[in-house]
mmCIF file of all heavy atoms in Angstrom:
data_model
loop_
_atom_site.group_PDB
_atom_site.id
_atom_site.type_symbol
_atom_site.label_atom_id
_atom_site.label_comp_id
_atom_site.label_asym_id
_atom_site.label_seq_id
_atom_site.Cartn_x
_atom_site.Cartn_y
_atom_site.Cartn_z
ATOM 1 N N ASN A 1 -8.164 14.126 -10.765
ATOM 2 C CA ASN A 1 -8.155 12.838 -11.444
ATOM 3 C C ASN A 1 -7.807 13.043 -12.920
ATOM 4 O O ASN A 1 -7.486 14.160 -13.342
ATOM 5 C CB ASN A 1 -9.500 12.112 -11.265
ATOM 6 C CG ASN A 1 -10.654 12.820 -11.939
ATOM 7 O OD1 ASN A 1 -10.482 13.660 -12.831
ATOM 8 N ND2 ASN A 1 -11.866 12.478 -11.522
ATOM 9 N N GLY A 2 -7.865 11.987 -13.708
ATOM 10 C CA GLY A 2 -7.506 12.065 -15.117
ATOM 11 C C GLY A 2 -8.377 12.994 -15.935
ATOM 12 O O GLY A 2 -7.975 13.446 -17.011
ATOM 13 N N ASN A 3 -9.576 13.304 -15.448
ATOM 14 C CA ASN A 3 -10.476 14.215 -16.161
ATOM 15 C C ASN A 3 -10.351 15.650 -15.684
ATOM 16 O O ASN A 3 -11.085 16.530 -16.131
ATOM 17 C CB ASN A 3 -11.938 13.771 -15.979
ATOM 18 C CG ASN A 3 -12.192 12.413 -16.569
ATOM 19 O OD1 ASN A 3 -11.616 12.050 -17.585
ATOM 20 N ND2 ASN A 3 -13.043 11.639 -15.919
ATOM 21 N N GLY A 4 -9.448 15.893 -14.733
ATOM 22 C CA GLY A 4 -9.282 17.240 -14.201
ATOM 23 C C GLY A 4 -10.261 17.591 -13.094
ATOM 24 O O GLY A 4 -10.321 18.728 -12.659
ATOM 25 N N ASP A 5 -11.027 16.608 -12.611
ATOM 26 C CA ASP A 5 -11.967 16.844 -11.514
ATOM 27 C C ASP A 5 -11.257 16.607 -10.182
ATOM 28 O O ASP A 5 -10.384 15.742 -10.082
ATOM 29 C CB ASP A 5 -13.164 15.892 -11.613
ATOM 30 C CG ASP A 5 -13.934 16.062 -12.905
ATOM 31 O OD1 ASP A 5 -14.088 17.213 -13.344
ATOM 32 O OD2 ASP A 5 -14.376 15.035 -13.460
ATOM 33 N N PRO A 6 -11.630 17.338 -9.126
ATOM 34 C CA PRO A 6 -11.017 17.095 -7.820
ATOM 35 C C PRO A 6 -11.235 15.653 -7.366
ATOM 36 O O PRO A 6 -12.332 15.119 -7.439
ATOM 37 C CB PRO A 6 -11.756 18.069 -6.892
ATOM 38 C CG PRO A 6 -12.233 19.151 -7.794
ATOM 39 C CD PRO A 6 -12.557 18.472 -9.102
ATOM 40 N N ASN A 7 -10.174 15.015 -6.931
ATOM 41 C CA ASN A 7 -10.218 13.642 -6.434
ATOM 42 C C ASN A 7 -10.004 13.722 -4.933
ATOM 43 O O ASN A 7 -8.882 13.765 -4.453
ATOM 44 C CB ASN A 7 -9.125 12.816 -7.112
ATOM 45 C CG ASN A 7 -9.261 11.343 -6.842
ATOM 46 O OD1 ASN A 7 -10.244 10.904 -6.268
ATOM 47 N ND2 ASN A 7 -8.276 10.577 -7.249
ATOM 48 N N ILE A 8 -11.082 13.761 -4.178
ATOM 49 C CA ILE A 8 -11.001 14.021 -2.749
ATOM 50 C C ILE A 8 -11.282 12.767 -1.932
ATOM 51 O O ILE A 8 -10.584 12.470 -0.983
ATOM 52 C CB ILE A 8 -11.996 15.139 -2.343
ATOM 53 C CG1 ILE A 8 -11.620 16.426 -3.066
ATOM 54 C CG2 ILE A 8 -11.993 15.339 -0.836
ATOM 55 C CD1 ILE A 8 -12.662 17.508 -2.962
ATOM 56 N N ASP A 9 -12.304 12.036 -2.276
ATOM 57 C CA ASP A 9 -12.755 10.977 -1.389
ATOM 58 C C ASP A 9 -13.504 9.933 -2.203
ATOM 59 O O ASP A 9 -13.843 10.139 -3.351
ATOM 60 C CB ASP A 9 -13.700 11.592 -0.344
ATOM 61 C CG ASP A 9 -13.688 10.811 0.950
ATOM 62 O OD1 ASP A 9 -13.695 9.576 0.902
ATOM 63 O OD2 ASP A 9 -13.674 11.454 1.998
ATOM 64 N N THR A 10 -13.758 8.807 -1.577
ATOM 65 C CA THR A 10 -14.610 7.803 -2.211
ATOM 66 C C THR A 10 -16.063 8.213 -2.050
ATOM 67 O O THR A 10 -16.387 9.160 -1.350
ATOM 68 C CB THR A 10 -14.437 6.428 -1.534
ATOM 69 O OG1 THR A 10 -14.760 6.567 -0.157
ATOM 70 C CG2 THR A 10 -13.045 5.905 -1.709
ATOM 71 N N ARG A 11 -16.913 7.451 -2.662
ATOM 72 C CA ARG A 11 -18.341 7.680 -2.490
ATOM 73 C C ARG A 11 -18.814 6.979 -1.225
ATOM 74 O O ARG A 11 -18.028 6.414 -0.486
ATOM 75 C CB ARG A 11 -19.064 7.169 -3.729
ATOM 76 C CG ARG A 11 -18.621 7.952 -4.960
ATOM 77 C CD ARG A 11 -19.311 7.481 -6.215
ATOM 78 N NE ARG A 11 -18.498 7.952 -7.331
ATOM 79 C CZ ARG A 11 -18.074 7.196 -8.312
ATOM 80 N NH1 ARG A 11 -18.414 5.925 -8.359
ATOM 81 N NH2 ARG A 11 -17.335 7.696 -9.260
ATOM 82 N N LYS A 12 -20.118 6.978 -0.973
ATOM 83 C CA LYS A 12 -20.661 6.397 0.258
ATOM 84 C C LYS A 12 -20.342 4.917 0.407
ATOM 85 O O LYS A 12 -20.280 4.401 1.518
ATOM 86 C CB LYS A 12 -22.175 6.580 0.298
ATOM 87 C CG LYS A 12 -22.602 8.004 0.487
ATOM 88 C CD LYS A 12 -24.112 8.109 0.511
ATOM 89 C CE LYS A 12 -24.569 9.544 0.556
ATOM 90 N NZ LYS A 12 -26.025 9.671 0.539
ATOM 91 N N ASP A 13 -20.116 4.196 -0.713
ATOM 92 C CA ASP A 13 -19.857 2.761 -0.615
ATOM 93 C C ASP A 13 -18.439 2.435 -0.144
ATOM 94 O O ASP A 13 -18.121 1.284 0.132
ATOM 95 C CB ASP A 13 -20.147 2.066 -1.944
ATOM 96 C CG ASP A 13 -19.259 2.559 -3.078
ATOM 97 O OD1 ASP A 13 -18.297 3.324 -2.843
ATOM 98 O OD2 ASP A 13 -19.538 2.173 -4.232
ATOM 99 N N CYS A 14 -17.563 3.431 -0.064
ATOM 100 C CA CYS A 14 -16.173 3.264 0.394
ATOM 101 C C CYS A 14 -15.373 2.284 -0.455
ATOM 102 O O CYS A 14 -14.413 1.683 0.010
ATOM 103 C CB CYS A 14 -16.121 2.852 1.857
ATOM 104 S SG CYS A 14 -16.735 4.133 2.957
ATOM 105 N N VAL A 15 -15.756 2.098 -1.715
ATOM 106 C CA VAL A 15 -15.026 1.234 -2.632
ATOM 107 C C VAL A 15 -13.932 2.046 -3.299
ATOM 108 O O VAL A 15 -14.176 3.140 -3.796
ATOM 109 C CB VAL A 15 -15.978 0.630 -3.690
ATOM 110 C CG1 VAL A 15 -15.206 -0.125 -4.745
ATOM 111 C CG2 VAL A 15 -17.006 -0.266 -3.024
ATOM 112 N N SER A 16 -12.733 1.490 -3.319
ATOM 113 C CA SER A 16 -11.607 2.188 -3.924
ATOM 114 C C SER A 16 -11.815 2.364 -5.418
ATOM 115 O O SER A 16 -12.204 1.437 -6.117
ATOM 116 C CB SER A 16 -10.319 1.413 -3.692
ATOM 117 O OG SER A 16 -9.266 2.003 -4.407
ATOM 118 N N ARG A 17 -11.586 3.540 -5.909
ATOM 119 C CA ARG A 17 -11.619 3.805 -7.347
ATOM 120 C C ARG A 17 -10.199 3.812 -7.906
ATOM 121 O O ARG A 17 -9.972 4.045 -9.068
ATOM 122 C CB ARG A 17 -12.292 5.151 -7.635
ATOM 123 C CG ARG A 17 -13.713 5.311 -7.099
ATOM 124 C CD ARG A 17 -14.639 4.233 -7.648
ATOM 125 N NE ARG A 17 -16.045 4.485 -7.367
ATOM 126 C CZ ARG A 17 -16.694 4.038 -6.295
ATOM 127 N NH1 ARG A 17 -16.065 3.390 -5.366
ATOM 128 N NH2 ARG A 17 -17.971 4.263 -6.151
ATOM 129 N N ASN A 18 -9.207 3.570 -7.023
ATOM 130 C CA ASN A 18 -7.793 3.574 -7.408
ATOM 131 C C ASN A 18 -7.121 2.284 -6.948
ATOM 132 O O ASN A 18 -6.309 2.283 -6.034
ATOM 133 C CB ASN A 18 -7.078 4.774 -6.756
ATOM 134 C CG ASN A 18 -7.702 6.086 -7.146
ATOM 135 O OD1 ASN A 18 -7.878 6.368 -8.312
ATOM 136 N ND2 ASN A 18 -8.061 6.885 -6.159
ATOM 137 N N PRO A 19 -7.466 1.149 -7.564
ATOM 138 C CA PRO A 19 -6.880 -0.114 -7.110
ATOM 139 C C PRO A 19 -5.398 -0.206 -7.481
ATOM 140 O O PRO A 19 -4.938 0.427 -8.428
ATOM 141 C CB PRO A 19 -7.697 -1.164 -7.866
ATOM 142 C CG PRO A 19 -8.135 -0.464 -9.111
ATOM 143 C CD PRO A 19 -8.360 0.973 -8.701
ATOM 144 N N VAL A 20 -4.659 -0.998 -6.708
ATOM 145 C CA VAL A 20 -3.256 -1.224 -7.045
ATOM 146 C C VAL A 20 -3.175 -2.216 -8.196
ATOM 147 O O VAL A 20 -4.061 -3.058 -8.378
ATOM 148 C CB VAL A 20 -2.447 -1.739 -5.834
ATOM 149 C CG1 VAL A 20 -2.385 -0.699 -4.734
ATOM 150 C CG2 VAL A 20 -2.983 -3.044 -5.314
ATOM 151 N N ASP A 21 -2.112 -2.100 -8.979
ATOM 152 C CA ASP A 21 -1.859 -3.060 -10.061
ATOM 153 C C ASP A 21 -1.161 -4.305 -9.513
ATOM 154 O O ASP A 21 -1.392 -5.410 -9.989
ATOM 155 C CB ASP A 21 -0.977 -2.428 -11.136
ATOM 156 C CG ASP A 21 -1.615 -1.210 -11.775
ATOM 157 O OD1 ASP A 21 -2.800 -1.298 -12.160
ATOM 158 O OD2 ASP A 21 -0.940 -0.170 -11.886
ATOM 159 N N VAL A 22 -0.288 -4.099 -8.545
ATOM 160 C CA VAL A 22 0.463 -5.192 -7.938
ATOM 161 C C VAL A 22 0.333 -5.070 -6.427
ATOM 162 O O VAL A 22 0.676 -4.034 -5.854
ATOM 163 C CB VAL A 22 1.961 -5.131 -8.329
ATOM 164 C CG1 VAL A 22 2.736 -6.256 -7.661
ATOM 165 C CG2 VAL A 22 2.132 -5.177 -9.835
ATOM 166 N N CYS A 23 -0.159 -6.112 -5.793
ATOM 167 C CA CYS A 23 -0.316 -6.104 -4.336
ATOM 168 C C CYS A 23 0.985 -6.591 -3.705
ATOM 169 O O CYS A 23 1.464 -7.688 -4.003
ATOM 170 C CB CYS A 23 -1.477 -7.003 -3.933
ATOM 171 S SG CYS A 23 -1.896 -6.835 -2.189
ATOM 172 N N ILE A 24 1.587 -5.767 -2.839
ATOM 173 C CA ILE A 24 2.810 -6.136 -2.143
ATOM 174 C C ILE A 24 2.440 -7.173 -1.080
ATOM 175 O O ILE A 24 1.557 -6.924 -0.259
ATOM 176 C CB ILE A 24 3.461 -4.902 -1.494
ATOM 177 C CG1 ILE A 24 3.868 -3.899 -2.578
ATOM 178 C CG2 ILE A 24 4.656 -5.310 -0.641
ATOM 179 C CD1 ILE A 24 4.390 -2.582 -2.043
ATOM 180 N N PRO A 25 3.104 -8.327 -1.085
ATOM 181 C CA PRO A 25 2.756 -9.358 -0.111
ATOM 182 C C PRO A 25 3.065 -8.904 1.309
ATOM 183 O O PRO A 25 4.066 -8.234 1.560
ATOM 184 C CB PRO A 25 3.632 -10.546 -0.508
ATOM 185 C CG PRO A 25 4.706 -9.989 -1.366
ATOM 186 C CD PRO A 25 4.189 -8.729 -1.969
ATOM 187 N N PHE A 26 2.177 -9.257 2.228
ATOM 188 C CA PHE A 26 2.354 -8.883 3.629
ATOM 189 C C PHE A 26 2.161 -10.111 4.495
ATOM 190 O O PHE A 26 1.103 -10.734 4.487
ATOM 191 C CB PHE A 26 1.357 -7.793 4.021
ATOM 192 C CG PHE A 26 1.612 -7.221 5.383
ATOM 193 C CD1 PHE A 26 2.670 -6.362 5.588
ATOM 194 C CD2 PHE A 26 0.806 -7.565 6.444
ATOM 195 C CE1 PHE A 26 2.918 -5.839 6.853
ATOM 196 C CE2 PHE A 26 1.045 -7.051 7.714
ATOM 197 C CZ PHE A 26 2.110 -6.183 7.919
ATOM 198 N N ASP A 27 3.215 -10.483 5.212
ATOM 199 C CA ASP A 27 3.162 -11.644 6.087
ATOM 200 C C ASP A 27 3.933 -11.329 7.373
ATOM 201 O O ASP A 27 4.305 -10.184 7.625
ATOM 202 C CB ASP A 27 3.733 -12.877 5.381
ATOM 203 C CG ASP A 27 5.156 -12.664 4.864
ATOM 204 O OD1 ASP A 27 5.813 -11.659 5.260
ATOM 205 O OD2 ASP A 27 5.624 -13.493 4.073
ATOM 206 N N TYR A 28 4.172 -12.347 8.181
ATOM 207 C CA TYR A 28 4.867 -12.162 9.451
ATOM 208 C C TYR A 28 6.229 -11.508 9.246
ATOM 209 O O TYR A 28 6.598 -10.576 9.970
ATOM 210 C CB TYR A 28 5.020 -13.507 10.160
ATOM 211 C CG TYR A 28 5.800 -13.425 11.448
ATOM 212 C CD1 TYR A 28 5.176 -13.067 12.640
ATOM 213 C CD2 TYR A 28 7.163 -13.710 11.463
ATOM 214 C CE1 TYR A 28 5.895 -12.975 13.821
ATOM 215 C CE2 TYR A 28 7.886 -13.622 12.644
ATOM 216 C CZ TYR A 28 7.255 -13.255 13.818
ATOM 217 O OH TYR A 28 7.975 -13.161 14.984
ATOM 218 N N ASP A 29 7.001 -12.006 8.268
ATOM 219 C CA ASP A 29 8.333 -11.451 8.025
ATOM 220 C C ASP A 29 8.266 -9.981 7.617
ATOM 221 O O ASP A 29 9.096 -9.181 8.039
ATOM 222 C CB ASP A 29 9.063 -12.262 6.947
ATOM 223 C CG ASP A 29 9.414 -13.663 7.440
ATOM 224 O OD1 ASP A 29 9.638 -13.832 8.657
ATOM 225 O OD2 ASP A 29 9.461 -14.580 6.597
ATOM 226 N N ALA A 30 7.282 -9.633 6.809
ATOM 227 C CA ALA A 30 7.111 -8.233 6.416
ATOM 228 C C ALA A 30 6.798 -7.370 7.630
ATOM 229 O O ALA A 30 7.368 -6.279 7.790
ATOM 230 C CB ALA A 30 6.006 -8.111 5.376
ATOM 231 N N ALA A 31 5.927 -7.854 8.494
ATOM 232 C CA ALA A 31 5.576 -7.100 9.701
ATOM 233 C C ALA A 31 6.800 -6.897 10.591
ATOM 234 O O ALA A 31 7.008 -5.815 11.143
ATOM 235 C CB ALA A 31 4.471 -7.813 10.467
ATOM 236 N N MET A 32 7.634 -7.920 10.711
ATOM 237 C CA MET A 32 8.848 -7.803 11.530
ATOM 238 C C MET A 32 9.823 -6.795 10.927
ATOM 239 O O MET A 32 10.458 -6.023 11.645
ATOM 240 C CB MET A 32 9.530 -9.168 11.691
ATOM 241 C CG MET A 32 8.756 -10.139 12.568
ATOM 242 S SD MET A 32 8.550 -9.560 14.274
ATOM 243 C CE MET A 32 6.874 -8.963 14.243
ATOM 244 N N GLN A 33 9.939 -6.787 9.598
ATOM 245 C CA GLN A 33 10.814 -5.807 8.953
ATOM 246 C C GLN A 33 10.336 -4.384 9.219
ATOM 247 O O GLN A 33 11.136 -3.486 9.463
ATOM 248 C CB GLN A 33 10.878 -6.059 7.448
ATOM 249 C CG GLN A 33 11.644 -7.305 7.074
ATOM 250 C CD GLN A 33 11.610 -7.564 5.588
ATOM 251 O OE1 GLN A 33 11.748 -6.650 4.790
ATOM 252 N NE2 GLN A 33 11.404 -8.818 5.212
ATOM 253 N N ILE A 34 9.021 -4.196 9.207
ATOM 254 C CA ILE A 34 8.461 -2.853 9.405
ATOM 255 C C ILE A 34 8.552 -2.436 10.873
ATOM 256 O O ILE A 34 9.076 -1.367 11.191
ATOM 257 C CB ILE A 34 6.996 -2.807 8.931
ATOM 258 C CG1 ILE A 34 6.922 -2.999 7.416
ATOM 259 C CG2 ILE A 34 6.334 -1.489 9.339
ATOM 260 C CD1 ILE A 34 5.519 -3.248 6.890
ATOM 261 N N PHE A 35 8.041 -3.253 11.776
ATOM 262 C CA PHE A 35 7.874 -2.838 13.162
ATOM 263 C C PHE A 35 9.075 -3.150 14.052
ATOM 264 O O PHE A 35 9.427 -2.362 14.926
ATOM 265 C CB PHE A 35 6.603 -3.440 13.751
ATOM 266 C CG PHE A 35 5.371 -2.963 13.046
ATOM 267 C CD1 PHE A 35 4.664 -3.799 12.202
ATOM 268 C CD2 PHE A 35 4.934 -1.658 13.195
ATOM 269 C CE1 PHE A 35 3.532 -3.351 11.535
ATOM 270 C CE2 PHE A 35 3.809 -1.196 12.536
ATOM 271 C CZ PHE A 35 3.109 -2.044 11.699
ATOM 272 N N ARG A 36 9.712 -4.283 13.859
ATOM 273 C CA ARG A 36 10.855 -4.628 14.700
ATOM 274 C C ARG A 36 12.143 -4.002 14.167
ATOM 275 O O ARG A 36 12.896 -3.388 14.907
ATOM 276 C CB ARG A 36 11.009 -6.153 14.781
ATOM 277 C CG ARG A 36 12.165 -6.607 15.676
ATOM 278 C CD ARG A 36 12.485 -8.067 15.502
ATOM 279 N NE ARG A 36 12.900 -8.322 14.126
ATOM 280 C CZ ARG A 36 12.739 -9.486 13.503
ATOM 281 N NH1 ARG A 36 12.176 -10.505 14.108
ATOM 282 N NH2 ARG A 36 13.137 -9.644 12.255
ATOM 283 N N ASP A 37 12.362 -4.173 12.834
ATOM 284 C CA ASP A 37 13.621 -3.730 12.239
ATOM 285 C C ASP A 37 13.584 -2.290 11.752
ATOM 286 O O ASP A 37 14.606 -1.759 11.328
ATOM 287 C CB ASP A 37 13.999 -4.652 11.074
ATOM 288 C CG ASP A 37 14.086 -6.112 11.495
ATOM 289 O OD1 ASP A 37 14.343 -6.379 12.694
ATOM 290 O OD2 ASP A 37 13.889 -6.988 10.638
ATOM 291 N N LYS A 38 12.389 -1.673 11.771
ATOM 292 C CA LYS A 38 12.210 -0.277 11.344
ATOM 293 C C LYS A 38 12.681 -0.044 9.905
ATOM 294 O O LYS A 38 13.205 1.000 9.570
ATOM 295 C CB LYS A 38 12.938 0.689 12.289
ATOM 296 C CG LYS A 38 12.621 0.526 13.745
ATOM 297 C CD LYS A 38 11.185 0.842 14.039
ATOM 298 C CE LYS A 38 10.949 0.824 15.548
ATOM 299 N NZ LYS A 38 9.640 0.403 15.914
ATOM 300 N N GLU A 39 12.490 -1.048 9.039
ATOM 301 C CA GLU A 39 12.858 -0.938 7.629
ATOM 302 C C GLU A 39 11.687 -0.378 6.818
ATOM 303 O O GLU A 39 10.538 -0.515 7.204
ATOM 304 C CB GLU A 39 13.250 -2.306 7.072
ATOM 305 C CG GLU A 39 14.526 -2.852 7.653
ATOM 306 C CD GLU A 39 14.920 -4.179 7.026
ATOM 307 O OE1 GLU A 39 14.413 -4.515 5.936
ATOM 308 O OE2 GLU A 39 15.728 -4.887 7.641
ATOM 309 N N ASP A 40 12.008 0.210 5.698
ATOM 310 C CA ASP A 40 10.968 0.678 4.773
ATOM 311 C C ASP A 40 10.655 -0.488 3.840
ATOM 312 O O ASP A 40 11.184 -0.579 2.740
ATOM 313 C CB ASP A 40 11.433 1.909 4.004
ATOM 314 C CG ASP A 40 10.294 2.584 3.262
ATOM 315 O OD1 ASP A 40 9.307 1.902 2.908
ATOM 316 O OD2 ASP A 40 10.396 3.797 3.032
ATOM 317 N N TYR A 41 9.822 -1.385 4.318
ATOM 318 C CA TYR A 41 9.513 -2.627 3.603
ATOM 319 C C TYR A 41 8.961 -2.357 2.211
ATOM 320 O O TYR A 41 9.364 -2.989 1.236
ATOM 321 C CB TYR A 41 8.528 -3.451 4.429
ATOM 322 C CG TYR A 41 7.993 -4.671 3.718
ATOM 323 C CD1 TYR A 41 8.793 -5.788 3.531
ATOM 324 C CD2 TYR A 41 6.691 -4.703 3.228
ATOM 325 C CE1 TYR A 41 8.319 -6.911 2.882
ATOM 326 C CE2 TYR A 41 6.200 -5.828 2.581
ATOM 327 C CZ TYR A 41 7.019 -6.923 2.404
ATOM 328 O OH TYR A 41 6.542 -8.025 1.756
ATOM 329 N N GLU A 42 8.034 -1.410 2.095
ATOM 330 C CA GLU A 42 7.419 -1.130 0.794
ATOM 331 C C GLU A 42 8.438 -0.593 -0.204
ATOM 332 O O GLU A 42 8.450 -0.991 -1.363
ATOM 333 C CB GLU A 42 6.263 -0.147 0.942
ATOM 334 C CG GLU A 42 5.072 -0.759 1.652
ATOM 335 C CD GLU A 42 3.997 0.258 1.926
ATOM 336 O OE1 GLU A 42 4.129 1.002 2.916
ATOM 337 O OE2 GLU A 42 3.034 0.306 1.135
ATOM 338 N N LEU A 43 9.293 0.320 0.239
ATOM 339 C CA LEU A 43 10.319 0.857 -0.657
ATOM 340 C C LEU A 43 11.304 -0.228 -1.071
ATOM 341 O O LEU A 43 11.650 -0.341 -2.251
ATOM 342 C CB LEU A 43 11.059 2.015 0.006
ATOM 343 C CG LEU A 43 12.171 2.643 -0.822
ATOM 344 C CD1 LEU A 43 11.631 3.199 -2.143
ATOM 345 C CD2 LEU A 43 12.873 3.736 -0.029
ATOM 346 N N ASN A 44 11.748 -1.056 -0.122
ATOM 347 C CA ASN A 44 12.664 -2.156 -0.460
ATOM 348 C C ASN A 44 12.022 -3.117 -1.451
ATOM 349 O O ASN A 44 12.665 -3.580 -2.398
ATOM 350 C CB ASN A 44 13.097 -2.907 0.803
ATOM 351 C CG ASN A 44 13.985 -2.066 1.692
ATOM 352 O OD1 ASN A 44 14.612 -1.107 1.246
ATOM 353 N ND2 ASN A 44 14.027 -2.416 2.964
ATOM 354 N N TRP A 45 10.737 -3.426 -1.227
ATOM 355 C CA TRP A 45 10.027 -4.320 -2.139
ATOM 356 C C TRP A 45 9.941 -3.692 -3.532
ATOM 357 O O TRP A 45 10.171 -4.366 -4.535
ATOM 358 C CB TRP A 45 8.619 -4.609 -1.605
ATOM 359 C CG TRP A 45 7.881 -5.598 -2.458
ATOM 360 C CD1 TRP A 45 7.834 -6.942 -2.293
ATOM 361 C CD2 TRP A 45 7.124 -5.300 -3.634
ATOM 362 N NE1 TRP A 45 7.083 -7.501 -3.297
ATOM 363 C CE2 TRP A 45 6.637 -6.515 -4.139
ATOM 364 C CE3 TRP A 45 6.814 -4.128 -4.317
ATOM 365 C CZ2 TRP A 45 5.856 -6.598 -5.286
ATOM 366 C CZ3 TRP A 45 6.030 -4.211 -5.461
ATOM 367 C CH2 TRP A 45 5.560 -5.433 -5.936
ATOM 368 N N ALA A 46 9.614 -2.399 -3.589
ATOM 369 C CA ALA A 46 9.482 -1.718 -4.876
ATOM 370 C C ALA A 46 10.812 -1.693 -5.626
ATOM 371 O O ALA A 46 10.851 -1.882 -6.851
ATOM 372 C CB ALA A 46 8.964 -0.299 -4.670
ATOM 373 N N MET A 47 11.904 -1.464 -4.915
ATOM 374 C CA MET A 47 13.218 -1.452 -5.568
ATOM 375 C C MET A 47 13.545 -2.825 -6.146
ATOM 376 O O MET A 47 14.032 -2.939 -7.273
ATOM 377 C CB MET A 47 14.288 -0.991 -4.584
ATOM 378 C CG MET A 47 14.154 0.475 -4.223
ATOM 379 S SD MET A 47 15.177 1.033 -2.848
ATOM 380 C CE MET A 47 16.774 0.425 -3.250
ATOM 381 N N GLN A 48 13.251 -3.890 -5.387
ATOM 382 C CA GLN A 48 13.476 -5.248 -5.887
ATOM 383 C C GLN A 48 12.572 -5.541 -7.088
ATOM 384 O O GLN A 48 12.997 -6.153 -8.069
ATOM 385 C CB GLN A 48 13.238 -6.272 -4.769
ATOM 386 C CG GLN A 48 13.506 -7.698 -5.172
ATOM 387 C CD GLN A 48 14.950 -7.913 -5.583
ATOM 388 O OE1 GLN A 48 15.858 -7.320 -5.034
ATOM 389 N NE2 GLN A 48 15.157 -8.743 -6.577
#
C-alpha cells in the first residue's frame, strides 16, 4: 500500500479500503456486450 505495508486482504468486515473513483455503469446492454458479444466492455468504457 502507500505506506509500504503488504496489502493482502480486507479486514473481517469485508469493507473495501480501495473504492473506485468512477463507477462504470452496468446495465442490460453492458451485460450483452460482455457475454453475448465477447467485448471488453470495461476497456472500451475506459477508452471513451
Side-chain angles (χ1 to χ4, degrees):
N1 66 19
N3 297 325
D5 300 321
N7 190 8
I8 298 169
D9 208 318
T10 58
R11 297 180 199 129
K12 291 180 186 178
D13 62 9
C14 294
V15 173
S16 173
R17 303 302 191 269
N18 302 308
V20 295
D21 299 312
V22 179
C23 189
I24 297 174
F26 188 74
D27 56 13
Y28 177 84
D29 292 330
M32 290 298 101
Q33 289 176 42
I34 294 168
F35 297 107
R36 182 193 62 208
D37 304 334
K38 308 295 187 212
E39 292 183 18
D40 192 333
Y41 172 74
E42 290 174 279
L43 179 60
N44 292 338
W45 184 93
M47 291 169 49
Q48 183 61 35

